[in-house]
């Protein structure tokens, strides 16, 4: 097995354990492999190991990978900050956008979604970390943006996405995820079709599963540490 394949086996095992601990079925939880900075070979290895969903943060970096792997039937999730001049490319190449936080971007994505493709799946990003740098609407702005998306026929509202603060404090992480679950359940009372609560990354996916996540976005636990993150010690590649 490649490193990537064995990492996937390990991560899936941990997802199953964490789910069973809270009496949830692992099949309720979709794993999105975050493949930013990774090449086609590594993504292919992950697809060979059974993964179907991949997340990318940068449009220019993602397009050649999406095109090279077009025959593999993968689902591509845009999880980076959205810039207005990138919406056409996102609408054309991706299956999902998880980082919607402005009505203006929703309208552009709706107009630019090609006719020959299904409606673009959308999660509204909610700011639950308190760090504005990460983007996301404030929790009290979710309803208004959701109403706007529901009026756009080329977008399919699927749910909410959020990122907890990068901290080792599990209580604080769980508090953020509980806040997102609360917003999701409130929205779901009016919009029954919502099925996606995207929260949990390599460092906090076990907490996210306990708090009700239905989708995890995991990069480094599958592909290893990213090269552009700050060097930690001399022994790491
Ligand atoms: C990079 C990224 C991830 C994955 O982070 P890891 O810690 O490598 O698992 C998840 N979500 C978003 C929005 C990201 O930008």
């Amino acid at each position: 097995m490649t490193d990537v394949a064995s990492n996937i086996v390990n991560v899936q095992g941990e997802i199953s354990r964490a789910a069973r601990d809270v009496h949830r079925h692992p099949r309720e939880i979709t794993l999105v492999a975050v493949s930013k900075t990774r090449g086609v070979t590594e993504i292919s290895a992950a697809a060979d190991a059974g993964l179907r969903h991949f997340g990318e943060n940068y449009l220019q970096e993602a397009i050649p990978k999406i095109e090279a792997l077009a025959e593999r039937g993968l689902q591509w999730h845009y999880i980076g900050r959205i810039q207005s001049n990138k919406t056409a490319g996102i609408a054309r190449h991706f299956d999902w956008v998880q980082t919607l936080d402005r009505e203006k971007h929703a309208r552009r994505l709706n107009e630019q979604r090609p006719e020959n493709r299904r409606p673009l799946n959308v999660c509204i990003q909610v700011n639950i970390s308190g760090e504005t740098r990460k983007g996301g609407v404030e929790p009290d702005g979710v309803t208004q943006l959701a109403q706007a998306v529901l009026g756009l026929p080329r977008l399919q509202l699927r749910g909410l996405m959020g990122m907890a603060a990068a901290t080792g404090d599990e209580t604080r992480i769980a508090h953020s995820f509980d806040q997102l679950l609360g917003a999701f359940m409130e929205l779901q009372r009016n919009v029954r079709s919502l099925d996606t609560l995207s929260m949990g990354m390599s460092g906090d996916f076990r907490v996210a599963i306990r708090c009700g996540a239905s989708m995890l976005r995991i990069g480094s636990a599958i592909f290893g540490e990213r090269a552009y993150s700050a060097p930690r010690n001399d022994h790491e590649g």
Side-chain angles (χ1 to χ4, degrees), residues 11 14-15 200-210 216 218 221:
V11 167
E14 293 199 41
I15 292 170
M201 321 200 322
S202 295
D204 58 19
F205 69 88
R206 299 163 200 81
V207 184
I209 290 168
R210 262 188 265 135
L216 312 172
I218 297 185

Side-chain angles (χ1 to χ4, degrees), residues 34 36 57 79 161 163 201-203 217-221 226:
V34 175
K36 61 184 170 210
N57 294 57
I79 61 169
M161 177 274 215
M163 271 185 278
M201 321 200 322
S202 295
R217 308 176 313 274
I218 297 185
S220 44
R226 280 181 294 279

Side-chain angles (χ1 to χ4, degrees), residues 89-131:
I90 295 168
R92 179 172 327 206
H93 293 282
F94 282 83
D95 302 288
W96 289 70
V97 173
Q98 296 204 16
T99 42
L100 184 72
D101 62 1
R102 292 177 67 178
E103 189 175 333
K104 175 183 158 195
H105 293 158
R107 284 198 305 269
R108 289 177 67 95
L109 290 165
N110 178 67
E111 280 161 21
Q112 293 162 335
R113 181 66 168 172
E115 287 296 333
N116 64 348
R117 301 208 57 186
R118 291 166 191 234
L120 183 62
N121 295 296
V122 169
C123 289
I124 292 172
Q125 184 182 351
V126 186
N127 178 8
I128 52 169
S129 69
E131 299 168 18

Side-chain angles (χ1 to χ4, degrees), residues 31-58:
L31 173 56
V32 177
V34 175
S35 48
K36 61 184 170 210
T37 79
R38 307 298 170 174
V40 167
T41 309
E42 286 168 288
I43 299 171
S44 278
D48 289 341
L51 299 190
R52 281 293 161 269
H53 295 265
F54 291 86
E56 290 281 341
N57 294 57
Y58 307 101

